[in-house]
Amino acid sequence: MKTPFPLSRRRFLRQSGFAAAATAAPLILPSRLRGQNAPSKKITVGIVGAGNIAGSHFGKLLGEPESVRILGVCDVDQRRRDEGAARVNATYGSQDCRAYADFRELNRQEGIDTVFVCTPDHWHALVAIDAMRHGKDVYIEKPMTLTIEEGRAVVAAARKYHRVAQHGTQHRSMKRFHDVAEFIRNDGLGKLERIECFIPPNNRHCGATWRPEPVPPGLDWDLWLGPAPWRPYSSLGCHYNFRFISDIAYGQVTNWGAHYLDIGQWALDMDASGPVEVEGRGEFPSSGLFTNATKVDFTVRYANGIPMHCRTRYEGGGTSRFVGERGWLDISRGRMSASDNRLLREMEAPNKKIQLPLSKDHHDNFFDCVRTRARPIADVELGHRTTTVCNLGQIAMVLGRKLRWDPAKEEFVGDEVANRLRGRAMRSPWALI
Amino acid sequence: MSAEKTRSPRSPAGGDAERNADRLSNAGATPDPWEECARLDYGGDRSFAWSVREQVLATPPEGRAQVEARLLKALAVPACTDAGRAFLCQMLALVGSVKSLPVLAPLLRDPKSTEAARYALQPIPGPEVSAALREALGALTGNAKAGLIGTIAWRRDTTARAVLAAIRENPAEPAIVREAANRALDHLTVA
C-alpha cells in the first residue's frame, strides 16, 4: 500500500522549524539498534505530558541512568516541557533531552524506544496508539483511556504492532496487593461474599458559572483540548482540574477506581472479562464547569454473583475490602488490616496452589518486558478491562438505571443509550483509527 | 398531640406572611428549558441544559422519538449559540436517529457547525447517515475533513474506500487530510 507519510519525522521537523535541533543527534542509541535482549543496553524514553503525574516517573527514571535514558519531554505547555527537559539534562549533565511541543514529533523520533503517556485522560488513547504505530512500546498512565471504545482500540493497536504496553496501575507490582489477590484466588477468605471499594472525593468547589480567560502565553490550548469538544480556556479547567470535567476525564471513578477496582478484578480472575451487571446513583452538579459526580456510588456484579461496590469516602482515602465467610481483609497503599490477624499470617504463607505472577517494581517490569518482549504485569488488556469496570460505573450513574453488560461482546444488553456512551466522536482532526 | 403534627400540608410553617411573600415575588415564570438550552453560553449557568439532559437520559425507548423532535426543534432556534448547538448535538448523539438527518446534514457541511453535527451523527446507525457523511467530504477541507474521514472509518463504511483512496493520492490535499485517509484505509482493511 502506498503511504504518503505526510507527517514523517523529517517533514515534521522541517515544518516545525526543528531541523537545526535535529542535526544535534543524541549520543544515546535506541536499544533496538543494539540488540533488545542485551540487559546492559540503555532503553530510551520519551515522556508525553510533563505535569503532575509525570513527576512520579521522573524520579524513578532519572535514578537509573545506567539502564534508562530520557531523551524527550513533550507538553503543550512550554513552561512544563522546558522545565522537564531542563531537569533531565541537569541530572545527566548533557543536552541530549529535547523538549517537544507536539507528541507526534516525539513519537516519530527513531532514537526513542518507549513512550510514557502522562497526559490528561482524553489524550491517552490517541498518544499511545500513535506511539505504537511508530514502533514505540508504551507505559500508559491510569486510567488507560477515557472511554470503553478507546480502551479496546489501544489493545488492538498493541497487538497489531506487537508492542509492549503497560498500564500504570502500579498496585499490580506491590507485593501487598499481589498477596491479597492471590489469597482470595486460593479461597483464603472462604467463599467470597463481596468487595467494597472506597475512592477519594471528586470535584473541588466550583461555582455555578465560570469565566473564559485569555489563553496564557506558551500554552497551546487547541492541542490541550485535542479530541475533546471545544470550549474556551479557563484556568479552573486546565491543569489537574481537568479530572473533574467529563469531556476530559471521569474523576476519581477512573483515577482511583483504576487502582482499587483493579485489585478486585485481579482477585476475581477477571483480567480478560468483567461484570455482567451494574447499577449506580451518583450526585452530579447541575451547573458549573465541573461535571463529574460529587458523590460516587455504584455496584457491579459478576456472573458468580459477587458484587463489587464502589463509593466516595470523604476522609481516609482509597481502599479495597474483601469480605468472605472467614472474615475480611482491608488493603490500601498505606496499610492492611483484617478481621483476624491469623488471616494475615495465612496470606503470607508460601506455596499456595494458585500463584499469581509477582512483579517487584512496575517500571522495572515494563523495561524487562521491553527487552524480552513478554507481556507486562499490567498488560493493556487487563488495563482495559479494569478501566471498563470504572466506565460501567460512570455510565450507570449517569443513566441512573440498572444495566446488563456482556463482557465478551463488550456491549450493554438492550440499552441503546448506554451503548452509545461507550464512546464519542472526537474533535477534528482527531479520530480513533 | 403537638401542633407540629396537626398542621396541614397546605399550611407552611411560616403562615400567611410567607405565602404572601411568595405570591408577590417578581422572579417571573420559569423558562422552558428546551428553549433556554439552545441559548447556552460557555461559562454561563447550564442548569436548564441539565434539566434537558436528565429528561433525555431518563426517557424510555418508546419516548425517544418525541425527545429527538424536541432537540431538533431547539436546534432550529435562530438564536442558537455555539455552546447550545454543541450541547443539543451531544444529546442527539445519545438518542438521535435517521430522523435527525435532514437537520444535521446541512450543519455537517457547514464549517461553523460541522463538529457538533458530526458528534451527533457518528453513533447513529444507518446507511443514510453513512451516505451523508461521505457526501460532506466534498464540502469540507483541512482539519474538519480529516475528522470526517476518521468518523467514516470508525463507522466501518467500506463503501468509502474508493473516495478515500482518491483523497490519499491527491497531492492537492493537505498532509493532515491525506494522512487521515491513509489511516482510514488501513482501518477499513483490517475490518
Side-chain angles (χ1 to χ4, degrees), chain A residues 1-7 11 15 104 108 133 149 160-161 208-212 229-232 247 284-291 398-399 401 415-417 420-421 424-433, chain B residues 42-47 50 53-54 57-59 64 90 92-97 115 118-119 122-125 143-144 146-151 153-154 168-169 175-176 178-180 182-187 190:
Chain A
M1 182 169 59
K2 186 178 179 183
T3 54
F5 293 118
L7 281 174
R11 181 167 184 168
Q15 291 178 345
R104 290 169 293 186
R108 284 153 184 75
R133 183 180 286 129
E149 288 175 351
K160 178 179 179 179
Y161 301 115
T209 60
W210 53 281
R211 186 176 301 169
W230 187 87
R231 65 174 159 84
D247 282 344
F284 294 86
S286 59
S287 192
L289 181 58
F290 297 165
T291 49
V398 164
L399 293 177
R401 55 181 176 255
D415 198 312
E416 174 64 16
V417 176
R420 292 194 188 187
L421 286 167
R424 56 176 69 168
M426 293 180 167
R427 192 170 66 100
S428 294
W430 310 103
L432 195 61
I433 58 168
Chain B
Y42 292 109
D45 186 343
R46 61 177 174 83
S47 52
W50 177 260
R53 175 186 159 90
E54 290 293 280
L57 294 174
T59 301
R64 287 194 192 131
Q90 286 169 16
L92 285 168
L94 299 176
V95 297
S97 71
E115 294 295 330
R118 188 168 58 80
Y119 195 104
Q122 180 166 299
I124 298 176
N143 279 359
L148 177 59
I149 289 169
T151 287
W154 182 89
R168 184 183 64 182
E169 305 304 328
I176 194 85
R178 296 180 68 200
E179 169 69 10
N182 189 54
R183 281 204 319 273
L185 286 162
D186 186 39
H187 190 74
V190 173

Side-chain angles (χ1 to χ4, degrees), chain A residues 61-370:
Chain A
L61 300 177
L62 291 173
E64 300 187 2
E66 300 307 315
S67 58
V68 175
R69 197 77 168 182
I70 302 174
L71 288 185
V73 175
C74 175
D75 202 289
V76 297
D77 186 328
Q78 183 177 7
R79 182 180 60 80
R80 289 188 168 200
R81 66 176 176 265
D82 288 348
E83 287 179 358
R87 177 181 176 184
V88 173
N89 285 328
T91 303
Y92 292 153
S94 73
Q95 292 298 312
D96 292 343
C97 181
R98 280 184 50 204
Y100 295 84
D102 189 316
F103 71 93
R104 290 169 293 186
E105 187 190 358
L106 182 148
N107 283 349
R108 284 153 184 75
Q109 290 293 332
E110 293 175 359
I112 290 176
D113 297 319
T114 65
V115 170
F116 277 59
V117 182
C118 304
T119 62
D121 304 10
H122 68 309
W123 264 119
H124 285 186
L126 292 180
V127 173
I129 290 170
D130 186 71
M132 290 189 282
R133 183 180 286 129
H134 290 89
K136 317 303 185 196
D137 297 320
V138 293
Y139 183 113
I140 310 170
E141 258 303 337
K142 51 80 195 170
M144 198 174 92
T145 57
L146 176 60
T147 69
I148 294 171
E149 288 175 351
E150 290 171 5
R152 181 46 65 200
V154 167
V155 176
R159 303 299 180 254
K160 178 179 179 179
Y161 301 115
H162 306 289
R163 293 293 103 202
V164 173
Q166 174 92 297
H167 186 213
T169 43
Q170 69 269 27
H171 287 185
R172 291 268 178 162
S173 294
M174 295 179 180
K175 189 170 186 306
R176 175 183 295 168
F177 290 95
H178 163 275
D179 289 352
V180 166
E182 193 173 79
F183 191 57
I184 303 298
R185 287 266 194 111
N186 284 280
D187 297 325
L189 286 180
K191 187 178 187 312
L192 189 67
E193 295 172 359
R194 67 181 189 276
I195 304 170
E196 299 279 352
C197 297
F198 291 92
I199 57 175
N202 233 347
N203 312 356
R204 297 169 186 174
H205 175 71
C206 172
T209 60
W210 53 281
R211 186 176 301 169
E213 302 166 42
V215 178
L219 175 66
D220 186 340
W221 178 241
D222 187 70
L223 198 52
W224 189 96
L225 281 174
W230 187 87
R231 65 174 159 84
Y233 172 81
S234 164
S235 53
L236 190 64
C238 188
H239 297 320
Y240 194 82
N241 285 348
F242 67 80
R243 191 168 308 293
F244 310 132
I245 302 169
S246 56
D247 282 344
I248 308 295
Y250 289 141
Q252 308 299 11
V253 172
T254 47
N255 186 39
W256 278 101
H259 281 311
Y260 286 106
L261 299 175
D262 184 54
I263 299 308
Q265 281 273 107
W266 201 10
L268 292 172
D269 194 14
M270 284 287 120
D271 281 347
S273 185
V276 296
E277 189 178 278
V278 60
E279 60 183 323
R281 288 273 182 265
E283 292 181 5
F284 294 86
S286 59
S287 192
L289 181 58
F290 297 165
T291 49
N292 282 323
T294 50
K295 181 180 179 183
V296 170
D297 191 332
F298 67 86
T299 301
V300 297
R301 191 176 296 275
Y302 292 85
N304 60 7
I306 294 175
M308 182 157 65
H309 185 187
C310 178
R311 56 191 145 144
T312 301
R313 179 153 70 186
Y314 295 96
E315 292 180 1
T319 182
S320 296
R321 174 173 287 203
F322 295 84
V323 183
E325 60 186 355
R326 296 186 65 215
W328 55 262
L329 278 170
D330 199 292
I331 183 168
S332 66
R333 279 191 194 171
R335 63 190 292 271
M336 186 158 62
S337 56
S339 56
D340 186 333
N341 283 339
R342 190 177 51 187
L343 292 171
L344 299 177
R345 289 194 294 273
E346 288 179 20
M347 190 174 67
E348 292 174 355
N351 302 322
K352 293 187 177 63
K353 184 178 177 182
I354 299 172
Q355 296 193 4
L356 298 179
L358 179 61
S359 160
K360 293 180 179 175
D361 183 279
H362 218 49
H363 290 87
D364 291 348
N365 173 263
F366 173 62
F367 291 125
D368 287 346
C369 292
V370 169

Side-chain angles (χ1 to χ4, degrees), chain B residues 109-126:
Chain B
R109 293 191 292 270
D110 184 342
K112 292 178 183 173
S113 53
T114 188
E115 294 295 330
R118 188 168 58 80
Y119 195 104
L121 286 168
Q122 180 166 299
I124 298 176

